[in-house]
Amino acid sequence: MKSREKTFRVVGTVLGLSLLAGIALQFISNEGSYPSREESQQIVDRMNSEYVNDTYGGTTPEETLRLFTDALKKGDTELASKYFLPEDRLDNKKYLDEMLKKNEISKIINDIDSGEVSLSGDKAFLSIFENGRKVAGLVLGKNTKTSRWKIIEF
């Protein structure tokens, strides 16, 4: 009986130590994947700077949409992407580039030009209708740092 208890203790101790070693290894291997406090602050400062220095967009939602469609009419997806939030620009530029290649930019322009804008505080909604039914929409928001309107949902 005593040898059985001793075996359980040894096995339990080995399993416990193995578990602790595994947890320690997991912690050590993940340690480098998280930004340090300084790196996190740099990321926040960079994003804040992008918002503070963002001069693209109109003083009204309608002006932002006009500027956006003017850029699209010229085929300038780089400029058109500036009317989105800084963190969304790259993805939206890729999408607009695809639409340009497919010759479908004119559909986006026509939809925006035929849409109806409604305001609700610092948000604006562009509703796009077909045959009297709402089929799509855009959401715009005001950059509180510059009072410029940006496309926040496309």
Side-chain angles (χ1 to χ4, degrees):
M1 193 79 148
K2 288 194 178 213
S3 69
R4 192 174 208 190
E5 286 178 22
K6 189 175 183 180
T7 303
F8 280 129
R9 282 188 194 155
V10 169
V11 170
T13 302
V14 169
L15 287 174
L17 289 173
S18 296
L19 179 64
L20 287 174
I23 291 170
L25 284 173
Q26 184 68 28
F27 178 75
I28 290 168
S29 67
N30 282 341
E31 188 174 46
S33 65
Y34 298 104
S36 69
R37 179 172 276 156
E38 288 174 358
E39 291 169 327
S40 296
Q41 187 60 50
Q42 288 173 351
I43 292 167
V44 169
D45 290 345
R46 181 178 46 80
M47 286 300 297
N48 192 41
S49 175
E50 286 182 25
Y51 275 83
V52 168
N53 297 313
D54 186 4
T55 59
Y56 293 93
T59 56
T60 65
E62 295 85 357
E63 183 182 13
T64 294
L65 292 170
R66 183 184 53 75
L67 293 166
F68 176 69
T69 57
D70 286 350
L72 291 179
K73 288 173 186 173
K74 296 174 187 170
D76 190 346
T77 59
E78 181 70 36
L79 177 59
S81 71
K82 303 278 188 195
Y83 300 107
F84 293 98
L85 295 174
E87 64 270 22
D88 296 335
R89 288 180 182 154
L90 184 60
D91 288 339
N92 283 305
K93 183 181 181 325
K94 287 178 185 176
Y95 173 74
L96 293 172
D97 286 339
E98 287 176 30
M99 297 300 284
L100 187 63
K101 285 179 190 172
K102 294 178 183 179
N103 291 319
E104 294 183 8
I105 287 289
S106 61
K107 175 150 177 39
I108 295 172
I109 295 167
N110 291 337
D111 285 348
I112 291 172
D113 287 346
S114 67
E116 296 176 14
V117 175
S118 59
L119 286 171
S120 179
D122 283 348
K123 291 240 167 109
F125 305 90
L126 175 76
S127 299
I128 300 165
F129 296 91
E130 283 183 9
N131 300 322
R133 249 183 59 188
K134 182 178 175 183
V135 294
L138 296 176
V139 180
L140 294 96
K142 190 183 267 190
N143 177 344
T144 58
K145 308 275 187 203
T146 64
S147 295
R148 298 287 180 172
W149 286 85
K150 310 298 286 181
I151 300 170
I152 59 175
E153 288 183 34
F154 184 62

